[in-house]
Amino acid sequence: MDQHLLSLILFTPLAGLAVLLLIPGSNKGLIRVWANLASFAGFLISLPLVSRFQSGAAGFQLVEKADWIPSLGVKYLIGIDGISLLLVMLTTLMGFIATLCSWNAVEDRVKEYYAMFLLLQTGMIGVFLSLDFFLFYVFWELVLVPMYFIIGVWGGPRKLYAAIKFFLYTLAGSVLMLLGILTLYFHHFSQFGFYTFEIAELMKLNLPLNVQEWVFWAFFVGFAIKVPMFPFHTWLPDAHVEAPTAGSVILAAVLLKMGTYGFLRFSLPLLPKASVDQTIVQTLAVLSIVGILYGALVSLMQSDWKKLVAYSSVSHLGFCTLGIFSLNPNGIAGSVIQQVNHGISTGMLFLVIGVIYERRHTRAISEYGGLAHVMPKFATVFAIAMLSSAGLPLLNGFVGEFTILQGAFEASRTWAALAVPGVVLGAAYLLWLYQRTMLGQVTNGKNLGLPDLSLREMAVFVPLIAWAVWIGVYPKPYFDVLEKPVAQIVERVRPGYFSTSAAENASALPAAPAAERAGGAQ
């Protein structure tokens, strides 16, 4: 089973989709049951990855390789390291939760709705598993199609505008990324005499700095739009606000991570000279810090519950990109953990909004107040999600933000000093949101009869709360899993980093007392 475990994980949602298409569209109950079973099966099948993965081993594990289009040098090549392991587990869990939370939310075109989610799941997993650039690009583009329909068909009043904007932004970035991929592809042929899209082979290229810089910026546009980094973020609030709850959850929890993953998997290892160029590093650090502060400040001004959380993603993902371009182990490891944390915390926040929207059909913050008196379980879950996102110690957000700031401080004290207010502003807009909606007296009579969380809704939140507490209390396994792949990235872009650090640490140690040295000589 281990030989084809990754393929099994990758194609389980697709197999579920094939069966779903055979179910009559009029049988909505069976469609819901089957779609949830297929998503849950996808999560269960991914669980053995946790035990099969060897934290201390370098390189990719569980690799599967087969010729796909030999004439073009294209292979079906998939594998995982610690970074992709965490993101695949996040994808399979959030995919199931997004499907489960849709039970009562969608009544029209139910079959097509769940079909889009199963197709989306396959695309997202494929992005994180691909070790062939052509295969990666196929899955990257595949994700666009179901997400476009999820927003455009089942979204809010301005759904078509939001869907087209999302599609065009992402497609524009993808086209530039494709040009960068083809540049590497043809340069590899000119240097080695054969065509390949294999990442490991492309890393052997010796490209001049000007070519690396051109390719870096081509990749940057594609990945920065997906993150989204400031100023490429303008599609995100519209997409989030108009998407159905499950669409917002999966968009925030997984799709945005495709951009940060692209920087880690491709930009840094394939283009090491450009990645350490001071102009590029400083530019991306400035954009990240602007995104952190801008996203937080705009969140403070929002009157729409969902738009507030949408802009908070711009701020939180700014921390992730700042960690990546700190170019040190703490920054990069913290960035990956914070990507997982953001998926958990912001996923929970969008689920919270979905629960209240199903009951009241409004996201205006002014419509609420004192809900803790009416929905105590809901208020408790919202409090945990809010504090998790704000970075409270012993919850997941704190671990990621602290490690990123540590990495940023090592790279530049100015970066860290400018990024820290983002943490304070994050706590400010989240606490203020909670105070306006949950605390005080019930100010709107329409809220008096609202039912509290059902058993199914509680089941959606429990695994996310448990995961948030686990990372917050005991993050060591996550750092262990990330140690080798992060070290390889750092050594690739900064050769000799670890030997230099070891030498500096050794020179910083106090000399042994003379008597002790004499004793050792005896």
Side-chain angles (χ1 to χ4, degrees):
M1 179 182 166
D2 280 8
Q3 290 182 335
H4 302 292
L5 178 59
L6 295 184
S7 289
L8 196 61
I9 294 166
L10 176 58
F11 293 115
T12 295
L14 211 56
L17 169 60
V19 176
L20 181 71
L21 295 178
L22 301 176
I23 301 174
S26 57
N27 197 340
K28 295 181 180 180
L30 183 58
I31 288 170
R32 289 190 177 99
V33 170
W34 176 253
N36 279 276
L37 285 175
S39 293
F40 188 52
F43 172 62
L44 288 180
I45 289 170
S46 70
L47 286 177
L49 281 181
V50 178
S51 58
R52 302 290 198 280
F53 188 83
Q54 299 174 355
S55 297
F60 291 94
Q61 302 178 34
L62 303 171
V63 174
E64 298 178 36
K65 187 174 183 179
D67 283 334
W68 183 18
I69 313 175
S71 60
L72 296 178
V74 177
K75 294 180 174 65
Y76 172 75
L77 180 59
I78 57 175
I80 59 166
D81 62 1
I83 297 170
S84 45
L85 170 70
L86 294 181
L87 292 172
V88 167
M89 295 309 300
L90 178 69
T91 303
T92 57
L93 176 61
M94 296 309 299
F96 168 58
I97 286 174
T99 309
L100 183 60
C101 79
S102 302
W103 193 278
N104 294 328
V106 175
E107 290 296 332
D108 298 325
R109 300 183 181 181
V110 176
K111 181 176 176 178
E112 293 89 338
Y113 177 81
Y114 285 113
M116 289 297 112
F117 267 97
L118 291 170
L119 183 60
L120 182 64
Q121 185 83 338
T122 300
M124 294 185 300
I125 294 171
V127 164
F128 298 132
L129 294 182
S130 299
L131 300 179
D132 179 279
F133 234 145
F134 187 92
L135 185 66
F136 166 82
Y137 191 79
V138 167
F139 284 121
W140 178 276
E141 292 294 273
L142 176 64
V143 166
L144 268 182
V145 178
M147 198 66 215
Y148 169 80
F149 284 111
I150 288 168
I151 298 170
V153 176
W154 295 277
R158 299 173 72 243
K159 57 190 178 185
L160 290 177
Y161 168 78
I164 292 170
K165 193 174 182 181
F166 160 76
F167 194 93
L168 291 179
Y169 261 74
T170 313
L171 187 64
S174 299
V175 170
L176 280 174
M177 185 171 69
L178 179 61
L179 292 176
I181 294 170
L182 291 174
T183 302
L184 298 178
Y185 178 72
F186 287 112
H187 270 278
H188 186 276
F189 178 78
S190 66
Q191 288 187 23
F192 298 99
F194 65 97
Y195 290 113
T196 184
F197 285 98
E198 193 174 334
I199 306 302
E201 284 293 330
L202 294 175
M203 285 175 66
K204 297 175 183 176
L205 279 170
N206 183 19
L207 298 174
L209 178 60
N210 65 323
V211 175
Q212 286 203 18
E213 286 178 337
W214 187 94
V215 177
F216 184 95
W217 287 118
F219 284 178
F220 166 78
V221 175
F223 298 144
I225 287 172
K226 187 70 87 175
V227 171
M229 290 181 71
F230 178 90
F232 304 99
H233 66 283
T234 57
W235 64 267
L236 181 68
D238 292 309
H240 268 316
V241 169
E242 299 306 322
T245 298
S248 294
V249 169
I250 211 73
L251 181 63
V254 184
L255 256 71
L256 306 188
K257 312 310 178 300
M258 288 164 54
T260 47
Y261 177 79
F263 283 126
L264 290 168
R265 178 66 71 233
F266 304 111
S267 297
L268 269 58
L270 289 172
L271 309 163
K273 294 176 187 174
S275 298
V276 294
D277 180 78
Q278 279 304 300
T279 303
I280 288 176
V281 171
Q282 293 288 347
T283 301
L284 268 67
V286 168
L287 290 178
S288 299
I289 291 166
V290 170
I292 290 169
L293 300 176
Y294 168 84
L297 287 169
V298 175
S299 292
L300 273 170
M301 304 302 294
Q302 296 307 312
S303 58
D304 183 300
W305 199 329
K306 207 173 188 184
K307 192 169 277 191
L308 184 151
V309 178
Y311 274 108
S312 77
S313 290
V314 178
S315 182
H316 287 299
L317 269 298
F319 279 104
C320 294
T321 51
L322 181 65
I324 291 169
F325 289 98
S326 297
L327 300 178
N328 54 50
N330 281 329
I332 294 174
S335 172
V336 178
I337 290 175
Q338 188 62 7
Q339 289 169 44
V340 176
N341 292 340
H342 177 265
I344 297 167
S345 305
T346 308
M348 275 199 285
L349 288 172
F350 278 119
L351 288 167
V352 162
I353 296 166
V355 166
I356 202 67
Y357 185 76
E358 281 184 24
R359 288 156 170 75
R360 281 290 322 276
H361 300 289
T362 178
R363 293 185 298 265
I365 297 171
S366 59
E367 285 286 313
Y368 301 99
L371 287 182
H373 297 290
V374 182
M375 307 168 69
K377 287 189 287 187
F378 174 78
T380 303
V381 167
F382 183 20
I384 295 169
M386 177 266 298
L387 294 171
S388 162
S389 185
L392 182 76
L394 298 183
L395 287 172
N396 57 338
F398 174 76
V399 175
E401 287 181 351
F402 179 85
T403 315
I404 287 170
L405 288 171
Q406 189 177 355
F409 188 88
E410 291 173 31
S412 167
R413 296 185 180 186
T414 305
W415 295 1
L418 292 172
V420 162
V423 180
V424 180
L425 290 169
Y429 63 70
L430 287 164
L431 288 167
W432 192 33
L433 171 65
Y434 192 82
Q435 181 257 321
R436 285 182 288 170
T437 55
M438 298 292 116
L439 304 182
Q441 297 302 311
V442 179
T443 54
N444 190 332
K446 295 177 183 177
N447 299 326
L448 287 169
L450 296 180
D452 209 344
L453 293 178
S454 66
L455 193 62
R456 177 185 60 83
E457 289 167 337
M458 284 298 295
V460 167
F461 287 106
V462 166
L464 296 178
I465 292 171
W467 202 1
V469 173
W470 178 17
I471 295 176
V473 173
Y474 187 58
K476 183 178 181 296
Y478 297 87
F479 285 106
D480 290 344
V481 160
L482 292 172
E483 183 179 0
K484 287 291 183 182
V486 166
Q488 288 173 334
I489 292 171
V490 173
E491 191 63 31
R492 175 76 177 162
V493 295
R494 299 173 68 179
Y497 174 87
F498 291 99
S499 56
T500 305
S501 299
E504 288 174 354
N505 290 337
S507 65
L509 292 173
E516 193 176 307
R517 291 199 300 272
Q522 293 172 3

